[in-house]
Each structure stands twice: as C-alpha cells, then as structure tokens.
Amino acid sequence: MDVNDTGTQQFAATGDDQYVRLADPDLAAYADQYQGEVQELPTYRPTVGCIIPAYNEAETIAGVLDSLLQQTRLPDVIHVIINNSSDDSVEIASHYAGPHKRMTPTGEQETAIYVHDIGKNPDKKVGALNYGYSLVETMDYLLGVDGDTTPEPDAVQHLVDEISSDARIGGISAIYSIDDSALDGWMSKFLIAGQRAQFSAFNMQNLLKGRNMAVLGGQFSIFSTQALRDVLKDSHQRTPWVNDSEVEDSLLSLQIKSAGYLTKISARARAHVGGMTTLRALDAQQVKWNFGAIDLMWPGQRGDTRGQPFHPNLRLRWFEHMSMVLNILTRTMFVLLLAGSLNIHAFVFSPWWLIPPAAAIWLNFRVARSMEFVNRRDYLFALLMVPAESYMVIRMGHFIRAWLKFFSRQQTDNWAAQAKAERGKGVAWLYPFVAFLFIFAVSAAIWLQLPISLRSDILAVGWPILGVITVLQTAWMIMKAMRRYRGFKA
C-alpha cells in the first residue's frame, strides 16, 4: 500500500461515494478545497410572497406583522392589502413598511413590507386577495394570511418545506387553533372553548385522512402559484378567487383539486386565528360558512362546479351536514318524547341511558387531549358535557338558519352581515332559538289535545325508533373515540 512522505494515505471521493488514493499531496488538498466549495454553493430557495387582506384590523394587524417578522423562514415579501377600512389599520401597518433584516437559525434573512390602501373595494376580501395575487404571481408560492391570524415562529418554514417537497401539492393549510389567553366574560370563554373543540375535531379528521384537506382556509395557507395559474386556465377565470361565492377558500380548494393537485393540511405548521366572542358574531360567521358550503354542494347551483355535488372535496361536507341532521333529529325527539312521557307519568329511567352521554364525554375528552395547546378550560368543556351540548344546540341553530336561507333564495350579503354582527348589530342570531320555542309550544299544544291512548301509542313507537338511532350514534362515537391519532396533534 502506497503512502506519502508523511506516512499518511491521501484519498479523494469519486462521484459514487467511493474513494481513490492520491499520491500527490497538492492534488489531495485541491480535492478537499473543491469538495468544500461545492458544499458551500447556495441551493435554490423558493420565493414566497405573503398577502394579508385587512378590513378594520387595527387591533390585530401589528401582532400579525410582528409574528411574520419573527419567523424562522421569512417570506420574501409581505403585502398588506387594506380595503374598506374606517379605522387606523393603514396608519398602524405603515409603521412596518419598508425593508427588514432578521437573524434566524439559518442566517440573516431579509424581507420587505408594502402597505396598500385600495380604498373602497366592492369585492371585499376577494378583491383584496386578487389584488395581492397580481403582486406575487411570478413567485413560487403565495402565502395567504388573515389580518387577525398569528402563526407559530416555525409555521412558514414548515409550509414551505412541505409544499416544495412534492410538486403534486397545490396548497397546504396550517393547523388552526384559537388563542384564549385574553378573554373577558363567561360567554366569550364558553364560545371560544366551543370553537377550539370544533377546530380540533375538524383538524384531526383531516390529519387522519391522509392529511387531505377539503378546505384550504384563508387564515394561513400556502399555494403553488403554478396551481393557481392552472386553475385560471381550467376554470376560465381571470383571478383565482371569485366574487360570487360565500366561501371563496372552499371554492378555490375545489378548483385546485379539480386541476389535478393535492390539497393538504400541514403536519406541523400552526396558526392562531381570531375567534367569535359573541353569539351574534358566531351566528353570522357560521351561517355564512354553512350557506357557502350548501351553495357549492347543491347540484348545478354554481356553473363553475359543473353540478358536482359528490366532488371529493364536497363528500366530507355532505357527511358533516347529514351528521348535523341526525343530531337535530335525536335531540328534538328526545326532548319531545321525554316531555310527553312526563306528562302522562310514563317516564321510567334506565341506566342504559347513561351510555350515550358517557360515550360523548369520552369522545370530547379525546378531542381535547389531541390539542397541541390544550388547557384546563378545554378539559372542563369536554368533561362537564353541558357546555359541549349547549354549543351543539347553538350550531344546530346556525345550520337550520343557513338551510332556510338557502331555500328561501334570499339575496343577502353574508359578508356584510358578518361585519355588522361583529360590530354588535342585528338580531338574526335569535331566530333559531325563537323557532325552537315555537316548535315546542306548538307540539305541546297538539299533544294536549290528543286522547291518552294515542299519546301512549306515540310514545310506544317513538322511543324504540329513537333507541335504534341512538345506539347507532353511540357506536359511531365509540369508534371515533377509539381511533389512534398516530402522533398527530390538532
């Protein structure tokens, strides 16, 4: 074996990771230098353009921009698109305008923030999103962020790593939760706890389904601009977001899927979104979401969905709505049958009745435990059952109001209705409760007019029917509660 004058062997790496001996020390030094320089060559860094549509976000926009500037991977550019605002959003955001440098774990990074006040915008958030798209469409990825959403410090890095790892992915949504650290009043705490549980169950459902996401929520999602261009071509649109949809993010997600791309939920990127702290505001938001989903689901309702009620991104929506119908049916039947049984003194308690509530508590507890940022309030919401059941009744009211609104063909601006509700105006949120009281009052009046024998017959038929439905529902809850979460955290 050959050695050099110093008594050491010299080797150089070949292309297939094998090594050959080098007799010349100078050649060996050159090989080492060359290999080091190759390793130091910069790799391609995909470009990310961030757009933030903002409508009266004076209270939150500073926190959103601060959280973006604290990312381990800064967006290459950030555009704040302020529209229809009457508060100090422009003034506050303008303090951040200009270039920014930050030292991150991977070295110094730079970004630039631009603030655009586009004034009166008839298309509202959709118009702001499309305006932002025109500013970043030449970049690799578009990151959409709501004006009240604050991401975890590594959220952008995770989204970029995941979407750039697979060209088939058209968009990825972060895992959403709601920050409940600064709340006043028992009502706001109750509503936020319900929304946190609702988000957690939805997130885990998507994580366990191959991380396939039916809706890339606009709160904090990243999109491939190539996928958006393909959507424009396939759908014959001039802009990615259309102004005639109540749920612009759901429709775009459907179109991305139809263009042959995957829509995913991130495994690790997390963001905290703004929650609704009043019954009025929650009603307006949920009715808008439900109404928009119905608009997409209904066969032939929208020309650009080509009458695809069972599109892969809509099948889950149909299942959710059928589940809500079943929840409404069982709860209404139980209250009416229980009241009827008490009226004729035919009520007999059975310990078996405790199994469905126990299964519900178990499932709610599993949902709470799956949260990444779970706290004592989340556990109490699940274990006490009354809060969770009360929140379900509220959601039932939203669901009914959305379907009635759809069938009545009301031409209302649900975006404006939500903005109005968040300002503390409007009484539409009371309609479901009034309707429930009216139904029970009418049912009681009819019941009291029936002969005792017919009342008994109705109870004899109604309770077994309710029993069968409840058994099936309980079995389904137990199956969901027994699912393994495979390390995922919602």
Side-chain angles (χ1 to χ4, degrees):
M1 180 176 295
D2 297 333
V3 296
N4 61 10
D5 295 339
T6 62
T8 59
Q9 289 182 294
Q10 302 294 322
F11 295 89
T14 63
D16 55 359
D17 293 333
Q18 296 180 351
Y19 289 82
V20 297
R21 286 176 297 178
L22 297 176
D24 187 349
D26 294 334
L27 185 60
Y30 173 76
D32 292 339
Q33 179 184 356
Y34 175 79
Q35 188 174 10
E37 291 176 350
V38 168
Q39 292 175 349
E40 293 176 359
L41 288 174
T43 57
Y44 178 71
R45 186 177 190 265
T47 54
V48 178
C50 175
I51 59 174
I52 308 174
Y55 164 69
N56 286 341
E57 304 288 2
E59 295 183 0
T60 57
I61 192 64
V64 174
L65 293 173
D66 283 333
S67 66
L68 288 172
L69 292 175
Q70 293 168 7
Q71 292 293 302
T72 57
R73 201 288 191 192
L74 295 180
D76 296 277
V77 65
I78 301 172
H79 293 281
V80 183
I81 318 297
I82 298 176
N83 67 105
N84 300 307
S85 293
S86 57
D87 62 5
D88 296 329
S89 297
V90 175
E91 181 180 353
I92 295 173
S94 296
H95 291 301
Y96 292 83
H100 295 265
K101 289 185 179 181
R102 291 290 185 273
M103 182 57 65
T104 70
T106 58
E108 188 176 72
Q109 297 186 37
E110 298 181 6
T111 188
I113 296 178
Y114 299 90
V115 180
H116 311 260
D117 183 5
I118 62 176
K120 187 175 182 180
N121 167 32
D123 293 334
K124 302 180 178 63
K125 183 180 179 180
V126 167
L129 286 169
N130 288 325
Y131 183 93
Y133 170 74
S134 68
L135 300 173
V136 302
E137 60 181 322
T138 59
M139 309 186 85
D140 294 310
Y141 302 112
L142 181 155
L143 175 66
V145 181
D146 271 359
D148 59 355
T149 299
T150 54
E152 288 293 299
D154 55 0
V156 174
Q157 184 68 64
H158 288 316
L159 288 181
V160 173
D161 289 345
E162 291 176 24
I163 196 169
S164 61
S165 68
D166 192 340
R168 297 174 301 171
I169 300 177
I172 301 180
S173 171
I175 301 174
Y176 298 135
S177 185
I178 301 175
D179 184 5
D180 64 347
S181 59
L183 296 173
D184 295 323
W186 67 269
M187 178 58 74
S188 61
K189 293 176 181 178
F190 159 67
L191 293 178
I192 293 300
Q195 291 169 75
R196 283 168 61 86
Q198 185 179 353
F199 271 59
S200 178
F202 179 77
N203 290 334
M204 185 56 69
Q205 184 179 39
N206 288 285
L207 287 168
L208 295 179
K209 290 183 177 294
R211 287 178 46 217
N212 292 309
M213 190 72 163
V215 181
L216 299 173
Q219 296 96 326
F220 200 85
S221 294
I222 193 168
F223 300 88
S224 162
T225 53
Q226 180 59 55
L228 296 181
R229 286 190 289 270
D230 288 342
V231 166
L232 299 184
K233 179 181 177 182
D234 293 349
S235 303
H236 307 288
Q237 296 174 191
R238 295 182 178 179
T239 56
W241 290 271
V242 297
N243 60 7
D244 59 345
S245 174
E246 297 286 347
V247 279
E248 74 293 334
D249 46 5
S250 294
L251 177 57
L252 180 59
S253 303
L254 183 150
Q255 292 172 327
I256 291 174
K257 189 82 170 181
S258 296
Y261 291 90
L262 301 175
T263 53
K264 296 283 188 177
I265 183 173
S266 173
R268 302 177 66 185
R270 301 181 182 278
H272 305 278
V273 306
M276 300 293 110
T277 57
T278 66
L279 283 170
R280 181 182 285 107
L282 180 64
D283 172 81
Q285 181 198 63
Q286 299 276 329
V287 169
K288 179 175 73 70
W289 284 355
N290 279 301
F291 185 91
I294 297 167
D295 190 43
L296 291 177
M297 290 159 50
W298 202 253
Q301 181 67 17
R302 293 184 54 85
D304 50 11
T305 63
R306 298 185 294 279
Q308 299 180 80
F310 298 108
H311 184 281
N313 278 28
L314 296 180
R315 285 198 294 262
L316 179 60
R317 289 298 185 93
W318 278 109
F319 178 78
E320 291 172 348
H321 281 239
M322 292 302 103
S323 297
M324 186 61 74
V325 169
L326 199 59
N327 284 325
I328 294 172
L329 177 64
T330 54
R331 283 160 175 80
T332 303
M333 286 185 65
F334 177 77
V335 171
L336 293 177
L337 290 172
L338 179 61
S341 299
L342 292 172
N343 174 252
I344 64 172
H345 307 288
F347 175 73
V348 178
F349 175 77
S350 171
W352 292 104
W353 289 12
L354 298 177
I355 295 179
I361 291 174
W362 182 22
L363 178 58
N364 292 335
F365 178 73
R366 288 293 311 278
V367 170
R369 283 200 63 187
S370 72
M371 297 182 187
E372 177 71 13
F373 305 105
V374 64
N375 57 41
R376 183 170 61 91
R377 193 178 298 139
D378 297 316
Y379 284 125
L380 289 175
F381 182 87
L383 295 175
L384 295 179
M385 186 177 171
V386 173
E389 191 65 20
S390 300
Y391 188 77
M392 173 59 72
V393 172
I394 293 172
R395 289 185 60 197
M396 287 160 48
H398 304 154
F399 177 84
I400 293 173
R401 199 162 82 81
W403 274 100
L404 291 177
K405 193 172 186 178
F406 175 77
F407 283 123
S408 67
R409 303 299 178 185
Q410 294 182 33
Q411 298 298 319
T412 57
D413 187 342
N414 288 322
W415 281 101
Q418 180 176 342
K420 181 180 178 181
E422 291 179 15
R423 294 194 301 269
K425 300 180 180 179
V427 296
W429 64 279
L430 288 171
Y431 295 165
F433 301 102
V434 174
F436 285 143
L437 291 175
F438 177 77
I439 291 172
F440 291 136
V442 171
S443 300
I446 295 174
W447 177 263
L448 294 175
Q449 302 302 316
L450 299 177
I452 190 68
S453 59
L454 183 56
R455 297 185 208 177
S456 180
D457 291 341
I458 292 174
L459 294 175
V461 174
W463 279 116
I465 294 175
L466 177 61
V468 171
I469 298 175
T470 304
V471 167
L472 295 176
Q473 270 191 309
T474 304
W476 178 245
M477 286 191 293
I478 293 174
M479 290 173 59
K480 290 176 67 175
M482 293 178 63
R483 287 187 304 181
R484 295 178 58 191
Y485 287 164
R486 304 203 299 269
F488 287 121
K489 282 287 188 178

